[in-house]
Amino acid sequence: MRCADLEAARAAALRLGARPAVIEAQVDTYFATRTGRLKLREIDGARAELIPYLRTDHAGARRSDYRVVPVPDGAGTRRLLSELLGVHRVVRKRREVLLWRNVRIHLDRVDDLGTFLELEAVFDGSAESEPAQREACAWLLRELGLAAEPCIAGSYESLLGSDSI
């Protein structure tokens, strides 16, 4: 979701017991695929990871099934996949990650888009666990004062290609 005041969200999360984890400069190169999404994330110009994932594009909490594959040669992998698949979009952002229980709180400053907050509950993926994870995220949004904010249906790469920026 859009978040006009990342500093206020950060302060509220810390009051709730979240702890700082990392601040990174990330460049996500999305490749053209028939299904799902495939991106190469280059982090601080030092390391890279390939992240294929499946997620529906609808507003609100949604499941995302993904893998993170470390890549020893980010630039070489980007060139190869660009030639094979073609580049769909490139997203550049500064991401601060806070950890609250099993929830990653992403405070993002995205080039050409603005500031955003994303919650990512990491769990075993079982159907039995999912309702509790959804409720934990809903509680956290209420406590952060963001429950009334509309969730974005797509991802940053889809926002960059839309007329509703």
Side-chain angles (χ1 to χ4, degrees), residues 1-160:
M1 67 186 44
R2 291 191 181 276
C3 182
D5 192 344
L6 289 182
E7 297 309 316
R10 182 183 197 282
L14 292 173
R15 280 193 301 275
L16 293 171
R19 61 188 195 288
V22 69
I23 298 174
E24 301 174 326
Q26 300 178 348
V27 178
D28 292 345
T29 302
Y30 287 81
F31 299 99
T33 59
R34 286 189 307 223
T35 59
R37 289 183 171 93
L38 176 65
K39 67 183 170 189
L40 176 70
R41 173 167 290 159
E42 296 174 273
I43 304 165
D44 292 327
R47 63 184 175 92
E49 44 197 36
L50 197 57
I51 306 171
Y53 64 100
L54 297 170
R55 184 184 72 213
T56 59
D57 283 344
H58 68 271
R62 57 198 180 263
R63 183 185 183 104
S64 181
D65 293 308
Y66 65 94
R67 299 182 95 173
V68 177
V69 181
V71 173
D73 179 6
T77 302
R78 181 176 12 86
R79 283 191 302 273
L80 175 65
L81 292 175
S82 296
E83 289 177 26
L84 291 173
L85 301 174
V87 173
H88 178 62
R89 274 196 193 86
V90 177
V91 175
R92 290 176 172 78
K93 66 182 173 287
R94 177 191 175 274
R95 170 169 282 175
E96 179 177 6
V97 180
L98 305 175
L99 301 175
W100 178 80
R101 299 183 185 169
N102 68 312
V103 178
R104 296 177 187 163
I105 303 168
H106 299 166
L107 305 173
D108 292 342
R109 296 179 189 281
V110 184
D111 289 5
D112 301 321
L113 290 179
T115 54
F116 298 83
L117 180 137
E118 177 184 68
L119 301 181
E120 182 180 60
V122 180
F123 67 105
D124 65 8
S126 68
E128 302 80 34
S129 299
E130 195 165 337
Q133 301 307 315
R134 287 179 182 273
E135 179 49 39
C137 287
W139 180 88
L140 190 52
L141 283 176
R142 287 191 300 274
E143 294 299 309
L144 294 174
L146 297 169
E149 295 298 319
C151 290
I152 295 168
S155 64
Y156 298 141
E157 59 91 14
S158 62
L159 285 177
L160 281 172

